[in-house]
């Protein structure tokens, strides 16, 4: 029985395990917990850390957040979750608040793994702290909101030690139906791929009102509406589909043209509510991508299609995952979900074809820590983030942008205020 089977078949072991200090590389025993510190106790952070707790030997022992209310909500949630799993409550000594919370967590000797679930603008700064602190890191996408951050992340990637594991939050790749079709596509099931198309049509995100919040705090709490903090919808949210496309094509775009704008949204912020991007990949393969993020009808539709000389592939979040043509194939368990009728999940915990994405992602990551080989997904994460920045640049500048243009002239973002006011 390997470690994964051990975890899968023994929920008692997962829930009742002892806390054993993580030792040297891959020196974990089957009954030892990976001591997990959550940085950013919001929607996604809480969901992913809970999934780690429920599906792996990781145990949330430390929390960090810039805001006291978020930290308190995190403690409340994880104390209850830990109690249900027969584990100790979070020790208040392992709770860190304020703009330096990430440094305190990175320096905390009682933590093995840091999960970075803060807004995108901070990912690279927080990644640097966690990697330099010698921690294993699970970093949410995107790895950077601009070229400067992306370059810095590539430098950080070089400093990751051989026994340190770093994952980037592209959980869709680990969803069983998507992983299965990707294997077939990458093995040539479509013949020569001629073209691809993709979409991400999501509802608007909702405002977060916090009593007494000044303008900077309002921005921080409503970071999704802010270009600098989020990277805009293409970099922050649509990135999952661009990542799937890069992965399945085994390439990154060479150039892009794009249009889009803010045609519906009237609330505060400067993000666009729609994008139409035409990416050119090697061999003149075009990927036509369109996204929307507005409306409150809850309708959600996201996916990718690839068209080749001997077949086509359909890869939706909801609906049949299939290949038609010479090597036709269909994921058997996805037929009950209806294409285009999926339910949006702001915390990324989607159902249908993505139902087990987080579970599989979390297990693979913890396996990489406990048994090896270690992961270092930073460079791949940067490549996808830059691919999205390329489309964003083409859209904002209303011109064709090449990869080289992006690297040479890419927009850089500044926060424009100091976080010290939240100390
Ligand atoms: N992989 C996915 O499917 C998926 C889904 C949703 C969100 N995400 C990503 O997860 C991240 C978090 O998103 P969310 O929806 O949970 O946001 P959120 O606003 O609900 O949570 C962010 C948390 O970070 C805290 N925070 C903000 N700035 C901080 C700082 N400088 N230091 C410490 N804490 C800080 C906030 O107080 C908040 O608790 C984002 O990067 C987002 O792109 C990924």
């Amino acid at each position: 029985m390997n470690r994964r089977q051990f975890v899968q078949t023994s929920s008692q072991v997962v829930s009742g395990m002892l806390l054993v200090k993580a030792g040297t590389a891959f020196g974990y025993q089957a009954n030892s917990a990976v001591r997990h510190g959550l940085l950013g106790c919001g929607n996604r952070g809480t969901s992913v850390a809970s999934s780690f707790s429920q599906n792996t030997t990781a145990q949330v022992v430390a929390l960090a957040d810039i805001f006291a209310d978020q930290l308190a909500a995190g403690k409340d949630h994880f104390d209850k979750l830990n109690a249900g799993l027969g584990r100790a409550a979070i020790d208040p000594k392992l709770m860190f608040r304020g703009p330096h919370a990430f440094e305190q967590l990175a320096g905390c000797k009682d933590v093995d793994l840091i999960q970075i679930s803060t807004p995108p603008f901070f990912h690279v700064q927080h990644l640097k702290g966690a990697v330099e602190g010698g921690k294993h890191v699970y970093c949410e996408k995107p790895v950077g909101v601009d070229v400067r951050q992306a370059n810095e992340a590539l430098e950080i990637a070089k400093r990751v030690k051989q026994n340190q594991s770093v994952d980037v939050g592209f959980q869709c790749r680990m969803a069983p139906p998507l992983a299965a079709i990707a294997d077939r596509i990458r093995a040539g099931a479509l013949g020569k791929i001629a073209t691809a198309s993709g979409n991400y049509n999501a509802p608007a995100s909702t405002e977060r009102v916090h009593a007494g919040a000044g303008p900077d705090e309002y921005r921080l709490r409503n970071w999704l509406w802010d270009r600098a903090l989020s990277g805009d919808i293409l970099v922050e949210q649509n990135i999952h589909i661009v990542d799937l496309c890069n992965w399945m094509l085994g390439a990154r775009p060479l150039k892009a043209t794009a249009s889009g704008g803010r045609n519906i949204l009237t609330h505060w912020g400067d993000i666009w509510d729609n994008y139409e991007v035409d990416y050119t990949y090697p061999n003149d393969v075009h990927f036509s991508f369109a996204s929307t993020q507005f409306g409150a009808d809850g309708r959600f539709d996201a996916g990718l299609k690839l068209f080749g000389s001997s077949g086509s592939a359909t890869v939706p979040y909801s609906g049949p995952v299939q290949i038609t043509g010479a090597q036709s194939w269909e994921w058997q368990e996805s037929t009950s979900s209806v294409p285009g009728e999926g339910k949006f999940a702001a915390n990324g915990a989607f159902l249908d074809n993505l139902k087990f994405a987080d579970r599989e992602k979390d297990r693979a990551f913890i396996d990489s820590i406990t048994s090896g080989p270690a992961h270092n997904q930073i460079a791949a994460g940067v490549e996808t983030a830059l691919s999205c920045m390329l489309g964003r640049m083409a859209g904002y500048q209303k011109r064709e942008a090449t990869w080289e243009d992006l690297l040479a002239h890419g927009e850089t973002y500044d926060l424009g205020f100091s976080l010290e006011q939240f100390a």
Side-chain angles (χ1 to χ4, degrees), residues 39-45 64-67 70 98 117-120 122-123 126 140-142 169 171 208 220-221 223 236 240 346-348 350 419:
L39 173 60
C41 305
N43 230 355
R44 177 70 179 159
D65 201 285
I66 198 162
F67 295 128
Q70 292 291 99
S117 297
T118 48
F122 304 111
H123 287 173
H126 294 169
E140 266 306 341
K141 37 48 64 175
Q171 77 276 13
R208 286 162 172 190
L220 262 186
R221 291 190 186 264
W223 63 268
E236 194 277 329
H240 285 293
N347 65 1
F350 291 97
L419 292 183

Side-chain angles (χ1 to χ4, degrees), residues 271-292:
I271 54 162
W272 282 8
D273 58 27
N274 71 95
Y275 268 94
E276 300 78 33
V277 188
D278 180 14
Y279 284 111
T280 306
Y281 283 73
N283 304 318
D284 205 30
V285 172
H286 284 253
F287 170 44
S288 151
F289 176 78
S291 77
T292 52

Side-chain angles (χ1 to χ4, degrees), residues 20 22 31 61 66 70 99 131 144 149 164 192 207 211 225 251 274 295 314 317 321 402 420:
V20 177
N31 70 339
V61 298
I66 198 162
Q70 292 291 99
V131 166
Q149 291 188 355
Q164 221 176 346
K192 180 177 187 288
E207 184 179 31
W225 294 354
N274 71 95
T314 310
Y317 276 25
V321 175
T402 65
E420 290 306 318

Side-chain angles (χ1 to χ4, degrees), residues 178-197:
L178 274 56
I181 198 166
D183 280 349
R184 285 167 171 78
I185 293 168
R186 288 164 63 86
L190 306 184
K192 180 177 187 288
I193 295 179
T195 183
S197 64

Side-chain angles (χ1 to χ4, degrees), residues 103-321:
E103 288 159 333
Q104 294 169 297
L105 188 63
C108 178
K109 63 176 177 30
D110 298 307
V111 167
D112 308 310
L113 150 66
I114 293 180
Q115 177 194 325
I116 299 170
S117 297
T118 48
F121 181 85
F122 304 111
H123 287 173
V124 174
Q125 180 189 24
H126 294 169
L127 178 67
K128 180 168 184 275
V131 166
E132 287 177 355
K135 308 303 184 192
H136 304 289
V137 190
Y138 183 100
C139 182
E140 266 306 341
K141 37 48 64 175
V143 187
V145 296
D146 61 25
V147 173
R148 182 178 49 187
Q149 291 188 355
N151 283 335
E152 191 181 353
L154 292 176
E155 290 305 311
I156 297 166
K158 294 178 193 159
R159 300 201 293 273
V160 173
K161 300 208 170 63
Q162 268 197 334
N163 60 2
Q164 221 176 346
S165 211
V166 182
D167 257 29
V168 173
F170 287 121
Q171 77 276 13
C172 300
R173 291 191 184 199
M174 299 299 291
L178 274 56
I181 198 166
D183 280 349
R184 285 167 171 78
I185 293 168
R186 288 164 63 86
L190 306 184
K192 180 177 187 288
I193 295 179
T195 183
S197 64
N199 68 300
Y200 201 111
N201 303 108
S205 52
T206 47
E207 184 179 31
R208 286 162 172 190
V209 180
H210 190 77
D216 297 343
E217 182 173 339
Y218 180 88
R219 262 186 78 191
L220 262 186
R221 291 190 186 264
N222 290 285
W223 63 268
L224 269 167
W225 294 354
D226 185 286
R227 276 185 197 180
L229 280 160
S230 69
D232 207 338
I233 61 171
L234 188 59
V235 175
E236 194 277 329
Q237 189 177 72
N238 310 158
I239 192 169
H240 285 293
I241 303 298
V242 176
D243 183 63
L244 291 177
C245 187
N246 282 4
W247 181 44
M248 293 187 192
L249 291 180
R252 60 151 174 87
L254 303 174
K255 58 185 183 177
T257 56
S259 57
R262 198 174 159 91
N263 292 344
I264 303 292
L265 296 182
T266 53
H267 59 58
W268 171 85
D270 53 4
I271 54 162
W272 282 8
D273 58 27
N274 71 95
Y275 268 94
E276 300 78 33
V277 188
D278 180 14
Y279 284 111
T280 306
Y281 283 73
N283 304 318
D284 205 30
V285 172
H286 284 253
F287 170 44
S288 151
F289 176 78
S291 77
T292 52
Q293 198 189 92
F294 57 78
D297 59 2
R299 213 178 141 76
F300 175 62
D301 185 17
L304 175 68
K305 288 182 179 170
L306 300 113
F307 304 88
S309 57
S310 51
S312 306
T314 310
V315 193
Y317 276 25
S318 299
V321 175

